[in-house]
């Protein structure tokens, strides 16, 4: 989980890494955008060999929710 949060945080250029916790509501971050969503899908595909779709991301509220989606698809 900590590694996933670190990788997630690296997608953001301007947001302080300390903001990223399991319970962070990622869509509430000022820097969140559709481009970061695409980068997230790409990162998860590369690092975990898992394909998330837009619906998976829309259904998730927190970073932990995203992580659990990855675990479900393993």
């Amino acid at each position: 989980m900590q590694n996933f949060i670190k990788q997630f945080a690296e997608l953001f250029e301007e947001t302080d890494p300390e903001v990223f916790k399991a319970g962070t509501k990622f869509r509430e971050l000022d820097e969140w955008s559709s481009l970061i969503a695409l980068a997230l899908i790409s990162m998860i595909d590369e690092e975990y060999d898992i394909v998330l779709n837009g619906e998976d991301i829309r259904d998730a509220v927190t970073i932990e929710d995203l992580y659990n989606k990855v675990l479900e698809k393993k």
Side-chain angles (χ1 to χ4, degrees):
M1 175 70 144
Q2 289 306 106
N3 191 45
F4 183 82
I5 293 171
K6 180 177 177 275
Q7 291 169 322
F8 186 91
E10 288 172 355
L11 300 174
F12 294 77
E13 294 178 11
E14 299 172 13
T15 306
D16 184 350
E18 297 299 313
V19 168
F20 299 95
K21 309 277 189 241
T24 299
K25 295 179 179 177
F26 59 91
R27 279 193 298 277
E28 293 179 3
L29 298 171
D30 289 339
E31 200 177 348
W32 176 256
S33 69
S34 57
L35 287 176
I36 291 181
L38 291 172
L40 173 66
I41 290 169
S42 177
M43 179 274 288
I44 291 171
D45 185 26
E46 279 182 32
E47 296 293 324
Y48 300 93
D49 201 27
I50 301 289
V51 177
L52 288 187
N53 58 40
E55 186 177 333
D56 292 326
I57 293 174
R58 277 191 303 275
D59 289 347
V61 176
T62 64
I63 296 173
E64 184 174 18
D65 292 341
L66 288 172
Y67 181 71
N68 289 335
K69 290 272 184 199
V70 170
L71 293 181
E72 284 174 18
K73 293 186 177 234
K74 273 193 167 187

